[in-house]
Amino acid sequence: MGNLSLLGNINKNNTNLKIGENMDRNIINKYKNEKDRLLISKLIDKIRFCETRNKIQTTDFLDEIEQKLLENFLKSQKISNYFFTGGFGEAERRILIIYPEKLENIISNINLNEYINSVRIELPNEMHGEYSHKNYLGGLMKLGISREKIGDILVDENGADILVMPEILKFLIINIPSLTRFSKSKIEQISLENLRKIEIKTQSIKITVASMRLDNIVSELTRCSRGKANELLAQERVLLNHEIVEKSSKEVKENDIVTIRGKGRFIIKNIVGNSRKGRLFIEVEKFI
């Protein structure tokens, strides 16, 4: 399968994957919290395994913050033999695939079905349109599945396609029917090429701000005071282009993505113009 839209962006730099055995692990200590340090530590282990065994290594599914963290680390170490993929081009939750140098010329033909599986839940006719994303995710959580083993969940009125790590595929096919809400549903494995096509929906909104400072943008997007916006920043609930930002004066640019946990995700599309008092009119797309 050589479909780059499924693979995601493959790093095409010439620097080969390499972390020396004597690499100072104190580099891990620069990360603020234990979760980040653990994630980086696991990544280093996978890189070394890939180097010594010449075998592809993968992570579990990563959210966008985790993807950015690992990508920044790989770039800082000048490592390029990797790519992120969630099984389809627009996936939000993705795994990291690290590959040895000898696969450089054939990696675009990798069969992603070996690394990401998909379970289809087909609802009976009388239940069409009854469940949302959180209903499917909640069901999986009841089965004791950890979130990192689950990728995107593609939902339409007929059911859902759930991207999962291969090691839990059989467990899910056997146990999803034990959930009352899905007891009458058809459960089967499908290939990534046959995933449901889900339309990404956005709503166009307009805001007016005094400047492009992040606290101004957050204040307008959440309809709260600047003080409350700064609280959201301090609580690490605001992301700019998938990275947590606490600095209120950070400048936001056109096409930046602002995520406010609990409030939504927004793309800053255009600065339309200025008011007589110098305020900026901004067109924003909100994901719905």
Side-chain angles (χ1 to χ4, degrees):
M1 176 175 58
N3 190 340
L4 292 183
S5 67
L6 295 182
L7 294 177
N9 294 322
I10 295 182
N11 195 313
K12 291 295 186 181
N13 296 332
N14 293 323
T15 306
N16 294 319
L17 179 154
K18 186 175 182 181
I19 286 185
E21 286 296 329
N22 297 321
M23 176 181 176
D24 186 359
R25 279 181 172 264
N26 286 334
I27 192 172
I28 297 170
N29 294 330
K30 76 175 185 177
Y31 293 93
K32 294 175 70 172
N33 60 61
E34 183 62 29
K35 181 182 176 183
D36 291 351
R37 288 195 292 271
L38 180 60
L39 201 58
I40 295 296
S41 179
K42 287 181 177 180
L43 175 59
I44 291 173
D45 289 341
K46 288 181 182 295
I47 291 170
R48 286 183 170 150
F49 188 91
C50 182
E51 290 175 342
T52 57
R53 305 291 181 88
N54 276 317
K55 291 184 178 180
I56 290 174
Q57 290 289 286
T58 68
T59 65
D60 287 330
F61 284 101
L62 306 161
D63 64 28
E64 290 168 321
I65 300 175
E66 293 166 332
Q67 292 171 44
K68 196 70 174 180
L69 175 75
L70 296 191
E71 184 174 29
N72 287 342
F73 175 80
L74 289 164
K75 287 180 176 178
S76 75
Q77 301 302 312
K78 296 181 170 54
I79 293 170
S80 64
N81 293 9
Y82 69 90
F83 62 93
F84 292 91
T85 179
F88 64 103
E90 298 79 22
E92 293 183 6
R93 294 179 61 80
R94 298 171 182 255
I95 66 171
L96 170 63
I97 294 183
I98 308 161
Y99 56 91
E101 180 184 351
K102 68 177 184 178
L103 297 183
E104 181 74 40
N105 294 326
I106 63 172
I107 195 64
S108 62
N109 292 315
I110 188 173
N111 182 3
L112 284 187
N113 288 283
E114 296 180 14
Y115 302 98
I116 299 176
N117 291 163
S118 181
V119 177
R120 171 162 291 175
I121 299 178
E122 198 73 40
L123 298 173
N125 291 337
E126 66 272 17
M127 298 181 72
H128 282 187
E130 189 165 332
Y131 297 132
S132 66
H133 182 282
K134 84 176 172 181
N135 298 124
Y136 291 100
L137 181 59
L140 299 179
M141 296 296 101
K142 284 185 177 181
L143 293 176
I145 302 298
S146 58
R147 188 67 180 97
E148 62 266 23
K149 298 297 181 182
I150 306 167
D152 282 19
I153 301 175
L154 306 178
V155 179
D156 64 18
E157 67 172 15
N158 301 327
D161 294 341
I162 305 170
L163 285 297
V164 301
M165 298 303 293
E167 60 265 30
I168 67 168
L169 175 68
K170 289 183 179 178
F171 175 86
L172 290 179
I173 290 176
I174 293 170
N175 288 280
I176 287 176
S178 70
L179 298 168
T180 302
R181 70 186 71 173
F182 301 130
S183 61
K184 297 180 180 180
S185 299
K186 180 182 178 182
I187 313 298
E188 62 179 340
Q189 180 184 5
I190 63 167
S191 68
L192 298 179
E193 292 84 357
N194 294 325
L195 287 171
R196 298 171 194 266
K197 305 300 181 184
I198 304 297
E199 179 184 358
I200 298 175
K201 297 180 180 180
T202 61
Q203 174 187 6
S204 182
I205 61 176
K206 290 182 172 60
I207 61 173
T208 306
V209 295
S211 74
M212 295 299 288
R213 282 172 53 116
L214 183 57
D215 58 350
N216 283 333
I217 300 292
V218 171
S219 174
E220 287 300 314
L221 291 176
T222 59
R223 301 298 185 208
C224 70
S225 67
R226 285 268 299 278
K228 180 63 177 176
N230 281 302
E231 286 182 22
L232 295 173
L233 287 158
Q235 293 166 0
E236 298 188 346
R237 291 176 59 187
V238 178
L239 292 81
L240 183 61
N241 298 324
H242 314 308
E243 291 189 272
I244 293 172
V245 178
E246 298 179 58
K247 189 176 180 181
S248 59
S249 60
K250 178 76 173 180
E251 287 288 312
V252 180
K253 303 182 294 296
E254 289 183 345
N255 298 315
D256 278 352
I257 299 174
V258 178
T259 304
I260 307 168
R261 288 172 173 167
K263 303 294 182 180
R265 179 179 301 163
F266 310 83
I267 300 178
I268 309 302
K269 294 298 290 183
N270 297 299
I271 300 175
V272 181
N274 300 77
S275 71
R276 291 181 179 180
K277 295 183 179 181
R279 293 178 65 85
L280 302 172
F281 298 122
I282 303 174
E283 184 180 62
V284 177
E285 291 291 325
K286 178 181 180 180
F287 290 88
I288 57 177

